[in-house]
Amino acid sequence: MSERWALAPEPEGEGAVLVPLGPDGAPAGEARREPELVAAVRARPEVTRWVWRSTAEVYPRLLAAGVRVERCYDVEAAEQLLLGHEGRLGEPRSAAAAWARLRDAPVPPDPPQRTAEPGSQDSLFEPGPVAPVPFEGLLAVYAEQQRRHDRAEHPGRMRLLTAAESAGMLVAAEMHRAGLPWRADVHRDVLHELLGERYAGGGEPRRLAELADEVSAAFGRRVRPDLPADVVKAFAQAGIRVRSTRRWELEEIDHPAVPPLIAYKKLYRIWTAHGWSWLADWVRDGRFRPEYLPGGSVSGRWTTNGGGALQIPKVIRRAVVADDGWRLVVADADQMEPRVLAAISRDPGLMEVAGHPDDLYTRLSDRAFSGDRDHAKIALLGAIYGQTSGDGLKNLAALRRRFPRAVAYVDDAAKAGEEGRLVRTWLGRTSPRAVGAGDDGEAGLPQEGPAQAAEEYGIIPGYASGNARARGRFTRNFVVQGSAADWALLMLAALRQRLSAAGMRAELVFFQHDEVIVHCPAEEAEAVTEAIRAAGDEAGRIAFGPTPVRFPFTTATVERYADAK
């Protein structure tokens, strides 16, 4: 019996079409129609990998019926990665588009991304028109994708990448189904504590109104602190030139309006992004269920469709509370990107430094920076993010002397970007081509610098810029940050498998970049912590092969998320 089957739900009704597949991806039997999709999957426990158009189309229906699958192959997720590898990122990635390309037919555009439905358990279903593709077309696309993997620069790695991305789709659907435990009453208490009473008509709450009055009093005229142009104009009238109202710039100004303005901006963001309206829209039955988008950013980092799940302020995390008798195991990967650089560059010295679970920057400082941890950290992050001027240049020189292969790896990636060439992560995720020019390549992004912007916002400045220097900073970081995102996918897949194999009740409920949260009965917390540790090292071995590099986590077992840090 084949362990791999292709499946497609029928456009109308509850049925499905399915067929076993051979090692080459071609059908190994007759396609059959089943009257009920869930029953068809449940009746075939021997299948270890389901091949389907989109996990979002099928898996929520299975989860709702209590059916969990071990592995899948998401055709549309694979198409996105393969197009990128071929330098064609941006072309339509739907199965229907791939089927049209195979037949030299007109290629339909991808449907626009829909807006997530707040609070809906079924928001992962795809309402609206989806370009149709016949079952035989889906099979043909899948078989051709297998051949395209063989033509990749590193076929084995590319297959691993598409498998990992597909596993991420399963994890995303399961996390949406489980939901992040959320206490609405605690959230409301926090909002009242921070913002004060709400006024009728939906206007600003009391504390914001008071701060707005303080800002206006400091300027001697009415100023709207929620309007940056009004604030900039008010400072100009006071003889102070500011380029923006970003916090870091305001903190450099000596003016009585600055303290209430900074306080207002912080609270205003909480009110608009995670206030009472957000709570009413997104929390249902004690759970916040964001819609995760694996590979939603160009580097492979996850994003979410609505809800702001990846930017929950620490003060609001007080509302993330485990169920009675349960705990949250919160795990942060320690110095993930420097450890990834050690693994992908194969620099012997840096691999030795990263081969220990304790603080990487302390070990690095002992090797090359006379025990100065801060200089060691600045140097290594500067190499990754492109901060190579001033003191950064001196620190980089010291880093280059001791770890030449690591610095050369990111330098070569930067040079490729400056010359307009593509770069790839270790597994084969490929950078996009520059699509436009800009003054400095970072229009619309925070100006704190590439390293701080990337750390705070989870983005890589300059990827769409025609500016060679900005493009080089992007590709320099892409090879590291993207490879870290690939490792994270494998870590999630390994952790998911370990929790399931152990028969635990534990659930993955949250993930962002280098942090994962597992909600589990209190008695399982210790085993979950060990599973996370083992999954990190397992992902390192699978992704990068045999290296001495370790991928440790700092974990905390808590009742509420805010207590983890």
Side-chain angles (χ1 to χ4, degrees):
M1 179 69 75
S2 174
E3 296 181 343
R4 189 170 32 160
W5 283 61
L7 177 149
E10 290 186 328
E12 304 292 338
E14 298 296 320
V17 185
L18 55 164
V19 69
L21 300 173
D24 60 353
E30 293 293 326
R32 62 195 72 180
R33 280 176 168 76
E34 299 280 358
E36 214 282 313
L37 181 149
V38 173
V41 173
R42 185 178 277 135
R44 292 171 174 81
E46 75 282 359
V47 176
T48 58
R49 191 180 304 276
W50 289 96
V51 176
W52 50 46
R53 179 186 72 82
S54 166
T55 303
E57 178 186 38
V58 180
Y59 200 36
R61 291 170 59 179
L62 297 177
L63 288 174
V67 177
R68 179 184 182 276
V69 303
E70 288 297 322
R71 296 180 181 85
C72 77
Y73 179 97
D74 189 307
V75 168
E76 293 191 341
E79 186 67 15
Q80 175 90 342
L81 293 170
L82 289 166
L83 285 172
H85 193 276
E86 295 156 358
R88 300 160 60 194
L89 197 65
E91 292 187 27
R93 46 76 61 96
S94 70
W99 172 231
R101 282 189 287 265
L102 276 179
R103 296 176 293 124
D104 292 323
V107 177
D110 289 338
Q113 180 175 306
R114 59 182 174 71
T115 301
E117 299 174 13
S120 170
Q121 176 64 40
D122 299 323
S123 67
L124 273 174
F125 287 104
E126 297 187 25
V130 176
V133 56
F135 190 58
E136 61 271 19
L138 182 69
L139 297 177
V141 167
Y142 173 68
E144 177 60 19
Q145 285 183 348
Q146 303 315 295
R147 293 187 284 271
R148 290 161 70 190
H149 279 88
D150 291 337
R151 299 193 292 268
E153 184 175 354
H154 297 285
R157 295 184 195 173
M158 195 66 196
R159 290 184 186 279
L160 179 58
L161 177 61
T162 52
E165 194 90 328
S166 295
M169 297 293 178
L170 295 176
V171 171
E174 290 169 1
M175 288 200 306
H176 173 82
R177 177 78 187 177
L180 186 63
W182 203 282
R183 286 277 301 275
D185 58 332
V186 174
H187 191 150
R188 281 190 287 268
D189 289 344
V190 170
L191 293 177
H192 188 271
E193 171 190 325
L194 295 174
L195 301 172
E197 297 80 15
R198 302 168 68 185
Y199 294 140
E204 290 184 342
R206 174 180 56 78
R207 185 58 186 144
L208 281 180
E210 291 172 350
L211 288 169
D213 288 342
E214 291 180 37
V215 171
S216 295
F219 281 120
R221 71 172 184 85
R222 187 64 185 169
V223 175
R224 289 276 303 275
D226 58 322
L227 298 179
D230 202 18
V231 174
V232 170
K233 181 180 179 181
F235 274 120
Q237 290 175 344
I240 301 172
R241 183 179 180 273
V242 296
R243 293 177 300 170
S244 72
T245 60
R246 295 188 179 96
R247 176 186 51 77
W248 65 269
E249 186 171 354
L250 292 175
E251 288 175 342
E252 300 296 321
I253 300 171
D254 183 13
H255 190 279
V258 170
L261 182 57
I262 290 176
Y264 179 95
K265 286 169 61 67
K266 180 179 179 180
L267 293 180
Y268 183 83
R269 177 168 179 78
I270 290 173
W271 178 52
T272 55
H274 290 93
W276 291 278
S277 295
W278 181 94
L279 180 60
D281 285 343
W282 289 100
V283 176
R284 291 285 187 279
D285 302 323
R287 292 292 186 271
F288 168 41
R289 293 184 171 88
E291 180 179 330
Y292 297 93
L293 303 176
S297 68
V298 294
S299 66
R301 281 190 178 186
W302 288 27
T303 60
T304 58
N305 183 13
L310 306 187
Q311 295 178 328
I312 303 173
K314 183 170 182 178
V315 66
I316 298 298
R317 294 177 188 178
R318 286 157 57 183
V320 181
V321 183
D323 293 344
D324 290 343
W326 288 53
R327 297 293 184 270
L328 300 172
V329 179
V330 183
D332 280 301
D334 296 332
Q335 298 113 16
M336 177 174 67
E337 289 178 357
R339 293 176 186 277
V340 165
L341 174 59
I344 62 180
S345 69
R346 297 304 205 253
D347 185 291
L350 192 57
M351 283 196 295
E352 196 281 327
V353 168
H356 301 270
D358 49 357
D359 183 67
L360 180 145
Y361 298 122
T362 298
R363 285 188 169 271
L364 185 67
S365 67
D366 292 342
R367 283 290 195 90
F369 294 91
S370 303
D372 192 324
R373 184 185 184 278
D374 288 343
H375 279 185
K377 182 175 181 178
I378 291 170
L380 191 50
L381 294 180
I384 293 173
Y385 291 110
Q387 296 288 85
T388 55
S389 59
D391 288 342
L393 189 61
K394 181 174 67 175
N395 291 331
L396 184 62
L399 195 71
R400 182 176 280 111
R401 285 194 298 272
R402 296 303 300 267
F403 310 106
R405 290 181 65 175
V407 178
Y409 194 94
V410 288
D411 281 349
D412 289 347
K415 182 179 180 182
E418 290 171 359
E419 294 175 353
R421 293 182 282 127
L422 300 177
V423 298
R424 307 191 199 282
T425 67
W426 183 258
L427 294 186
R429 192 184 303 270
T430 305
S431 64
R433 297 186 183 279
V435 296
D439 293 336
D440 63 1
E442 297 176 355
L445 297 179
Q447 298 301 308
E448 296 93 330
Q452 191 168 345
E455 181 176 352
E456 185 171 355
Y457 296 90
I459 53 178
I460 312 177
Y463 78 90
S465 175
N467 179 285
R469 184 168 173 268
R471 174 74 180 173
R473 283 201 303 270
F474 162 69
T475 50
R476 170 188 294 273
N477 183 232
F478 179 92
V479 295
V480 181
Q481 189 182 108
S483 295
D486 298 345
W487 169 85
L489 282 171
L490 291 167
M491 179 274 296
L492 287 172
L495 177 57
R496 174 180 183 263
Q497 191 277 331
R498 286 176 178 274
L499 297 179
S500 174
M504 295 190 207
R505 297 166 63 196
E507 300 173 316
L508 274 161
V509 293
F510 186 75
F511 168 69
Q512 62 170 357
H513 178 47
D514 59 357
E515 180 181 74
V516 63
I517 300 179
V518 177
H519 186 224
C520 65
E523 62 271 17
E524 291 182 359
E526 185 175 346
V528 168
T529 298
E530 173 57 25
I532 293 171
R533 184 205 62 76
D537 284 337
E538 181 181 351
R541 291 192 299 272
I542 294 173
F544 309 119
T547 76
V549 178
R550 297 284 303 279
F551 291 91
F553 284 85
T554 295
T555 59
T557 299
V558 295
E559 293 188 33
R560 63 184 65 217
Y561 185 16
D563 294 338
K565 295 180 182 179

